[in-house]
Structure formats: C-alpha cells, structure tokens
Amino acid sequence: MLLSLLQGSPNPSDRAQILITLGNTAAFTVNQDLIRELGGLHVIAGFLSDPVPEVRVQTLNALNNLSMNLRNQEQLKVYVAQVLELIEMSPVNSDLQMAALRLLTNLSVTDDHHQLLRGSITLLLSLLVVSNQVLQIQVLKVLVNLSSNPDMMDDIVQAQAPASVVLLFDVRTSSAVLLRLLMFAGNLKAWRPSAQVAEALRRRQDGLYRVLLDESSQLQSKLIQLLSHPDGEVRAQVARVLL
C-alpha cells in the first residue's frame, strides 16, 4: 500500500512522509526483505531524482536503512553513481550530502562494492577540507572503509587531493574527526609501494601520496606535535601511526 501511495502521490510533502514511514519500517530485517521482494527498492530509488530536495533526502534515508541488508545492497549498488552525483551537486553541509554519505558508509562496510567508489576519492577528500565536523566524520567513515581494503590503495594514493588535507592533523581539529583521520592515515602508511611506484607517485604534485605519504609531506611533523594532544585516545592513535 505504501509503495503504491508513493508512486501515485502528486504532493511532495506526502511523498516525503511516505518515504519516512518506509524508512522506519526498513529498520527491521523482515521488512527489508519484504520491500525487496515487492520490488520496492527500485521504486524508492526512483525518487533520487525527485525535483524536491526533501523528497530526495527521505529517499536516501530510506535506502540507508534498506542497505543494512546484504541482499539489498546487491540491487542498490547500481545507484552509487547517482548518489555520488547528488553529493557533488548539493550544497556543502546539506542534509542531502549527509544522507548520501550515510548510504555510502553502509555500502562500503564490506569490500564487495568498493570498486564502484574508485572514482570518488578526490570528491571525498575535497569535501573533507570544506565541510563541518559532522560531515567530516561521515566522509572519514567512508574513507576509512575504503582504505581498509588493500585492493583500493592504488586508487586512493593516486587520487588528486587538496594540500590542505594535512592541516587537519591539528590540535584544533575535534577529537572525533582526528581519531578517524588518524585511522585513515594509519591505513595509508601501512601500504608499502615498490620503489618504482613510489617514485612515480612523487611526481604527481597534487596526489594524496605527495600530500600525506611522501618524505616532503608535513604529516610527520604534524603527528609529532599531536603526541602532546590532551586526548589520550588521540595520542595512542598518533603513536600507532608513527610506529
């Protein structure tokens, strides 16, 4: 009934409310399966292109709950490119960006769909340096998931990155952001390129390797400064990265 109402409603506020209800029901596994079996995943995802931003937000929220089911992820993966486009085209720190990043976080928990996010690294890094704390945490959740997969590392270190990424490793950055940033940096530093690959990466002035991993990077000095951070958990993460 809800899916039929959603498809037939001309009123944006009604569509948003129906999507909220579907999203709430999708918090339960039995309903996640039922919605998929009724063909509801594609019905709901069709509203990613709704002209009303609030409807798009509630669509993403519903898909976020539905994506906690691995069988649903197999159908939802086809919408990754559209979700990335929404992130890129939406205002920074908007509800749309947050909802889209939450969905990508769920879809990147396992390695199964990481290849679909290979082209997203530069977008995520660019968003990281201009967004607020709440959005930074969500961006970093995706980056930590991706960098935990050795098969993604070549794409990550070659990605174009703002030089200002390294400036986030600072005592003025919130501990919640720093901890995830340090996890990301730790995953990167655990990667060991061959001498030939490392030399090729050094030639890319705007690549993430040059910004965070090269000998010329400010990261090492930034990490040493963070050893005196007042948060003990941050200090422990810094030590892990340095060692």
Side-chain angles (χ1 to χ4, degrees):
M1 181 189 70
L2 286 169
L3 291 168
S4 296
L5 285 172
L6 180 62
Q7 289 175 290
S9 175
N11 188 321
S13 62
D14 288 348
R15 292 199 297 275
Q17 191 58 55
I18 295 165
L19 286 161
I20 290 170
T21 306
L22 283 166
N24 289 340
T25 66
F28 301 93
T29 303
V30 64
N31 291 332
Q32 293 166 4
D33 291 333
L34 180 60
I35 290 171
R36 181 186 66 252
E37 290 160 6
L38 291 170
L41 297 180
H42 299 301
V43 171
I44 293 169
F47 291 88
L48 287 170
S49 55
D50 194 279
V52 179
E54 179 59 19
V55 174
R56 296 200 296 273
V57 169
Q58 298 308 333
T59 298
L60 288 162
N61 288 340
L63 294 177
N64 180 42
N65 281 350
L66 288 163
S67 70
M68 291 188 286
N69 180 306
L70 290 179
R71 291 183 68 184
N72 286 354
Q73 286 190 10
E74 280 302 310
Q75 292 191 26
L76 294 177
K77 66 184 182 182
V78 300
Y79 300 105
V80 167
Q82 193 173 354
V83 173
L84 287 170
E85 186 178 352
L86 281 174
I87 293 172
E88 189 169 9
M89 302 303 292
S90 300
V92 175
N93 300 324
S94 63
D95 290 343
L96 262 170
Q97 283 192 336
M98 177 57 73
L101 286 165
R102 285 198 188 106
L103 176 56
L104 292 185
T105 301
N106 277 351
L107 290 175
S108 63
V109 167
T110 69
D111 297 355
D112 296 346
H113 312 305
H114 282 185
Q115 74 278 5
L116 301 173
L117 293 165
R118 288 185 187 278
S120 70
I121 309 302
T122 294
L123 171 63
L124 294 172
L125 292 170
S126 299
L127 193 55
L128 182 63
V129 298
V130 297
S131 55
N132 60 24
Q133 176 185 325
V134 178
L135 206 74
Q136 283 178 325
I137 289 171
Q138 207 64 47
V139 170
L140 284 164
K141 285 181 180 180
V142 180
L143 288 172
V144 168
N145 286 349
L146 296 178
S147 62
S148 299
N149 180 0
D151 293 337
M152 287 292 294
M153 204 55 72
D154 285 355
D155 296 279
I156 293 172
V157 297
Q158 292 181 69
Q160 184 178 355
S164 54
V165 167
V166 76
L167 301 179
L168 293 173
F169 292 85
D170 189 274
V171 70
R172 290 167 295 187
T173 299
S174 75
S175 293
V177 172
L178 262 180
L179 286 169
R180 288 171 176 82
L181 198 58
L182 289 163
M183 289 176 66
F184 178 54
N187 289 344
L188 295 181
K189 289 179 81 68
W191 178 71
R192 293 287 182 269
S194 65
Q196 184 177 3
V197 170
E199 182 56 37
L201 289 169
R202 284 191 191 99
R203 297 193 197 104
R204 293 199 59 176
Q205 298 290 331
D206 59 352
L208 185 62
Y209 181 89
R210 187 71 179 261
V211 172
L212 290 185
L213 298 178
D214 190 45
E215 294 171 358
S216 63
S217 170
Q218 300 177 47
L219 180 61
Q220 192 77 0
S221 62
K222 288 281 189 181
L223 291 174
I224 291 170
Q225 291 172 27
L226 286 173
L227 284 171
S228 59
H229 196 281
D231 188 317
E233 196 174 353
V234 169
R235 293 197 302 273
Q237 281 282 4
V238 171
R240 183 183 76 87
V241 176
L242 284 171
L243 294 173

